Amino acid sequence: MVLFYVLNITAFLSSRGRIKRLAQARMAALSWNCDQWGTASYQDNACRWSPGLLPLVLAGAHAVFDRDQFDRKEQIRQAIDIVDLVGQYLPLRPQGRGYVALCPWHDDSRPSLQVNPERQSFKCWVCDIGGDIFSFVMRMESVSFPEALQILAEKAGITLAPTPRGQPEDQAAENPKQKLYKICAWAEEMFHNALLRADAAASARTYLQTRGIEKSQWTNFRVGFCPPDNNWLVRQAGPADWKPSQLEQAGLLARRDEQSSWYSRFRGRLMFPIHDAQARCVGFGGRMIPGTSFLPENVAKYVNSPESPIFSKSQLLYGLDRARQEILRTHSVVVTEGYTDVIVAHQTGFSQTVAVLGTALGPSHVRLLRRYAERVLLTMDGDAAGQRRTEEILRLFLSEPLDLRILALPEKLDPCEFMRERGAEAFRDLMEKAEDPLEFKLRMVDRGLGPEAGSHQISQAMDDVLGTFAQAPRPEGPAREMVKLREAAMLNQLSRRFDVAEDLLRQRLESLRRPVRKRAEDAPPPGQIDTKLHAWDRELLEILIQDPNTLSEIRTVVAVDQVGEGAAREIYQRLCGLADEGLDATLERAMLTSDEPELKSLLIELDETGQRKSADELSRRKEDTLASFRRRQEDQTREHIAHRLKQQELQESEEGLELFLELHAKKRRQHGISAPTDG
């Protein structure tokens, strides 16, 4: 078949020498083994051969570059320090040249989140999440890039120019979360002014005084009052240009159906604004005022804002924004159940106090507390119901690396009443005597056992304690060792208390255990960008990030479309785009060109891995990388010609034949193979 092809093309060759060269090329093509030298396949999109030319073209194409948006992002980036920003959300502690914190996106038991002030970036290597100030806000606030841009611009005091016509609608639209924040802040001010000045608020002011709450704390916690008139809030919203539908979205108004009129959700109630850790008002808790006729007798004592994009009871703690600094200073937090408990505690001098929002303490609360404190003092009412709730949440803490203490109050007293009646010293003494949860549990079990308790009752009591441990989640990593130590201490105490061998107790514990479904992580789902890199692409990008000055030389050799598809090509394209704008293609600027968190995280990873390599060898690495690229391109070009020779496509031009034979001879020399002779 090969001879048939050779004979058929002799009509195109006017000399015996040309026939000989074509025959040599055909034989080389047929003997070509691309796997032998490890070259890329012929179908590789990077190989677009033109006869006689290697595809070593300049990188003319670059990313679509919006200079105006880039300049806005650069201005905001320079105005906001990432250490200050992350510190508003998470407690930071110095480590080396940077800072670390517990990662909020996975069940972190030791600080895994690293904050680098030099390059203004963050990175969690466990989650493989990282980026700059914009991607951090996108993750923490669960917002899009335009929304994060607006949030950070407001923090920096920078006014963004109006969105130009032609941009996508989702970028031009106003940030819905920011609107809700503004409405809640406005309502907070309205309610607070009503408490101070409205005649209808006289009963609310009297109630606060009877609870022993000083007027300075009314202002400190922005306590307010919602007048009983259903239309009061709508009238106040008119001058502020808020529509009833917007107040409904913020949870301030409600209606029974779409045909019904709006009514004030909190009418006639004492108002407690609820803030997030950044001190933004996100919702309200409304308390019925005793002795008033504002509301029917059968209504709920407390009403909270409904769930919204900015309000979630399971993710918030009342007073955390004001307690945060004291919690960080003392490494401890006092957890109560009521709004007035928190206010009176702060007034009494215990400003590390927070409260749940009318719901049971849950796993999200525990993870939130772990970010700030090492010890949790759980303060519950002294009645039986309060002690039952205390027992329920023990299971949450047994698998957490926190020092939990149970602060059991005397019966029929809540923390507010205890501090008012007995004072700060008595409460401080109670805090110092707070019990270990295991001791607390054993004491509760002992209450149910009389001196004449039989074996069945003792067995039930042991199962009660063992059951609490059996139902607790079993964490992985360092926290697992902590749980094993707690179990060992518990089994030792039970063994001594009930005179039962520890081995038997351990067997019973394992029999009570049920498989616990692993808690889903909070880390956001992975993006759509393929961030996997081939070794050559990774080396190229590491060099460019370590020394942006090498880009001008590299891009004269390597075209954008000759870099691997996916994240590698995207990053290289953006670096070239920066250079085309006359800007140094630094890591910080490269991150500003992208709104994709996954791409920013990859850039930080490339910088980290690149810094671990010797800077003295950067020039040699660059030359080796370019030499490797040239060899790869030569192999791809030769393979392409070989394929065309096999398919009898080269019929009119001898230029490709000459190039192919030259490249083939070069490859043979590289492998120490001598040229064939005529004989």
Side-chain angles (χ1 to χ4, degrees):
M1 183 66 68
V2 175
L3 292 176
F4 175 79
Y5 285 149
V6 172
L7 292 174
N8 273 324
I9 64 170
T10 55
F12 296 102
L13 303 175
S14 58
S15 69
R16 185 175 180 181
R18 295 176 69 187
I19 296 175
K20 181 178 179 181
R21 286 194 297 274
L22 179 58
Q24 289 173 343
R26 292 240 184 256
M27 294 304 294
L30 290 172
S31 65
W32 176 253
N33 182 353
C34 115
D35 290 335
Q36 176 183 349
W37 292 317
T39 59
S41 66
Y42 156 69
Q43 288 79 9
D44 194 327
N45 290 330
C47 178
R48 288 189 295 277
W49 176 83
S50 297
L53 296 175
L54 283 173
L56 301 176
V57 296
L58 298 181
H62 58 78
V64 177
F65 195 93
D66 186 339
R67 182 59 185 263
D68 290 337
Q69 187 186 63
F70 177 85
D71 289 342
R72 289 195 297 270
K73 291 193 284 187
E74 174 70 3
Q75 185 183 11
I76 293 170
R77 185 187 71 83
Q78 292 184 5
I80 296 178
D81 183 81
I82 195 167
V83 176
D84 294 336
L85 176 68
V86 176
Q88 294 174 17
Y89 293 85
L90 305 169
L92 292 171
R93 76 176 190 217
Q95 186 177 89
R97 299 170 66 180
Y99 296 83
V100 294
L102 290 175
C103 177
W105 301 300
H106 77 276
D107 194 9
D108 200 4
S109 59
R110 52 185 173 184
S112 301
L113 187 74
Q114 300 176 359
V115 181
N116 188 317
E118 294 179 1
R119 66 167 174 242
Q120 290 291 294
S121 66
F122 72 94
K123 179 75 175 182
C124 175
W125 296 94
V126 178
C127 294
D128 194 23
I129 291 174
D132 55 9
I133 58 173
F134 301 99
S135 45
F136 182 80
V137 170
M138 289 171 67
R139 296 277 185 185
M140 291 299 296
E141 300 283 352
S142 299
V143 295
S144 65
F145 174 78
E147 293 171 321
L149 186 70
Q150 183 66 42
I151 291 171
L152 289 168
E154 292 182 1
K155 286 180 179 290
I158 295 172
T159 302
L160 294 178
T163 305
R165 199 175 286 180
Q167 283 196 357
E169 289 185 7
D170 64 336
Q171 294 189 22
E174 184 179 357
N175 181 353
K177 280 190 172 184
Q178 291 300 106
K179 185 181 294 183
L180 292 177
Y181 288 131
K182 290 177 181 178
I183 293 173
C184 287
W186 166 82
E188 178 184 34
E189 189 66 22
M190 292 297 102
F191 292 144
H192 183 62
N193 289 335
L195 174 68
L196 299 179
R197 300 180 178 89
D199 293 339
S203 57
R205 293 190 289 267
T206 300
Y207 172 77
L208 290 172
Q209 291 167 352
T210 59
R211 292 289 283 174
I213 299 175
E214 300 170 357
K215 286 188 176 181
S216 61
Q217 298 301 324
W218 302 4
T219 302
N220 186 30
F221 283 86
R222 308 300 292 170
V223 182
F225 173 73
C226 182
D229 182 356
N230 259 332
N231 296 318
W232 177 82
L233 200 58
V234 175
R235 289 197 302 270
Q236 301 301 313
D241 203 24
W242 295 120
K243 300 175 183 178
S245 59
Q246 293 173 321
L247 300 184
E248 182 183 24
Q249 292 171 1
L252 297 167
L253 297 181
R255 51 181 176 174
R256 292 174 180 84
D257 53 61
E258 293 185 359
Q259 285 71 42
S260 302
S261 58
W262 279 286
Y263 64 88
S264 176
R265 182 184 299 274
F266 299 103
R267 65 192 184 280
R269 291 180 179 270
L270 187 65
M271 300 297 291
F272 298 93
I274 299 166
H275 300 85
D276 61 13
Q278 289 74 54
R280 298 173 298 195
C281 182
V282 295
F284 297 89
R287 192 198 193 284
M288 182 179 66
I289 303 170
T292 62
S293 58
F294 296 145
L295 298 169
E297 293 183 359
N298 59 347
V299 297
K301 182 179 178 180
Y302 285 96
V303 172
N304 282 325
S305 292
E307 297 287 306
S308 78
I310 64 173
F311 183 83
S312 175
K313 290 192 293 184
S314 65
Q315 304 287 339
L316 295 164
L317 291 166
Y318 180 70
L320 179 59
D321 57 314
R322 287 170 171 79
R324 177 178 166 173
Q325 292 303 320
E326 186 65 12
I327 294 173
L328 292 174
R329 189 186 70 82
T330 62
H331 306 291
S332 66
V333 59
V334 178
V335 181
T336 68
E337 287 192 307
Y339 303 121
T340 55
D341 294 337
V342 172
I343 297 175
V344 171
H346 281 243
Q347 177 179 292
T348 311
F350 303 100
S351 51
Q352 71 271 43
T353 305
V354 299
V356 292
L357 306 180
T359 184
L361 197 69
S364 296
H365 293 126
V366 176
R367 291 197 294 273
L368 182 60
L369 291 170
R370 275 177 45 189
R371 297 181 192 172
Y372 299 94
E374 297 173 2
R375 168 177 285 199
V376 176
L377 292 162
L378 195 60
T379 306
M380 294 294 180
D381 295 354
D383 56 16
Q387 297 202 359
R388 280 196 303 272
R389 286 192 294 273
T390 303
E391 182 180 358
E392 290 168 4
I393 65 175
L394 285 180
R395 301 187 187 99
L396 293 174
F397 285 86
L398 287 174
S399 60
E400 299 291 346
L402 280 168
D403 180 14
L404 174 65
R405 301 287 162 169
I406 305 300
L407 201 158
L409 294 166
E411 192 173 348
K412 297 182 179 179
L413 285 179
D414 61 28
C416 175
E417 294 165 339
F418 183 90
M419 283 180 272
R420 284 177 51 227
E421 293 181 11
R422 307 193 185 186
E425 287 303 318
F427 191 75
R428 186 172 290 107
D429 183 61
L430 207 60
M431 290 172 61
E432 292 175 356
K433 295 177 180 177
E435 293 179 285
D436 176 271
L438 180 57
E439 295 172 354
F440 177 81
K441 178 69 177 178
L442 288 172
R443 184 166 60 83
M444 293 183 68
V445 168
D446 280 342
R447 284 183 180 180
L449 291 176
E452 304 298 327
S455 59
H456 179 67
Q457 289 176 298
I458 292 174
S459 177
Q460 285 184 323
M462 287 190 298
D463 277 0
D464 189 9
V465 179
L466 293 171
T468 301
F469 271 84
Q471 295 176 41
R474 305 187 73 179
E476 301 296 332
R480 190 175 184 86
E481 296 303 315
M482 175 271 298
V483 171
K484 288 182 178 179
L485 291 174
R486 286 181 178 172
E487 284 184 5
M490 179 268 297
L491 293 173
N492 181 265
Q493 287 194 44
L494 278 181
S495 176
R496 288 187 285 105
R497 170 66 179 82
F498 297 110
D499 195 22
V500 177
E502 285 190 35
D503 288 344
L504 293 176
L505 292 172
R506 189 174 299 280
Q507 291 175 14
R508 180 57 179 161
L509 174 62
E510 293 303 322
S511 69
L512 290 172
R513 278 208 166 101
R514 296 290 181 269
V516 179
R517 182 177 299 174
K518 186 177 180 181
R519 184 170 59 216
E521 305 291 3
D522 292 337
Q528 299 301 313
I529 295 180
D530 182 7
T531 57
K532 295 179 181 178
L533 299 180
H534 293 294
W536 184 88
D537 295 321
R538 177 177 288 275
E539 178 74 354
L540 175 73
L541 295 177
E542 285 180 3
I543 292 168
L544 289 170
I545 291 172
Q546 292 304 301
D547 185 4
N549 294 325
T550 59
L551 178 62
S552 58
E553 177 186 354
I554 289 175
R555 69 183 305 204
T556 63
V557 179
V558 183
V560 167
D561 56 4
Q562 291 169 322
V563 176
E565 293 183 355
R569 185 176 299 178
E570 181 80 9
I571 292 173
Y572 187 60
Q573 195 173 26
R574 292 180 182 278
L575 294 175
C576 292
L578 285 168
D580 289 343
E581 290 291 324
L583 300 170
D584 290 336
T586 62
L587 171 70
E588 294 78 12
R589 285 178 173 149
M591 285 197 289
L592 289 180
T593 64
S594 174
D595 302 341
E596 297 291 341
E598 292 79 17
L599 209 63
K600 295 183 179 186
S601 181
L602 178 59
L603 280 164
I604 292 171
E605 178 185 331
L606 290 167
D607 183 52
E608 289 279 353
T609 55
Q611 286 185 10
R612 298 189 192 117
K613 299 177 182 178
S614 174
D616 297 335
E617 297 185 0
L618 194 62
S619 177
R620 180 191 59 76
R621 289 170 56 203
K622 179 194 69 176
E623 295 303 326
D624 290 348
T625 300
L626 292 179
S628 172
F629 173 79
R630 291 188 178 98
R631 288 193 301 271
R632 184 177 68 179
Q633 292 302 104
E634 289 175 357
D635 289 343
Q636 289 175 350
T637 301
R638 181 172 50 184
E639 185 181 356
H640 183 73
I641 300 172
H643 178 84
R644 294 187 65 187
L645 286 168
K646 291 177 184 179
Q647 300 299 322
Q648 200 180 0
E649 294 176 5
L650 282 178
Q651 297 182 0
E652 299 181 0
S653 173
E654 192 180 2
E655 187 179 6
L657 302 181
E658 297 289 351
L659 176 62
F660 176 75
L661 290 172
E662 178 185 342
L663 294 176
H664 187 68
K666 182 179 179 181
K667 178 62 73 173
R668 291 175 66 90
R669 288 194 299 271
Q670 289 175 354
H671 288 267
I673 304 174
S674 60
T677 62
D678 292 337

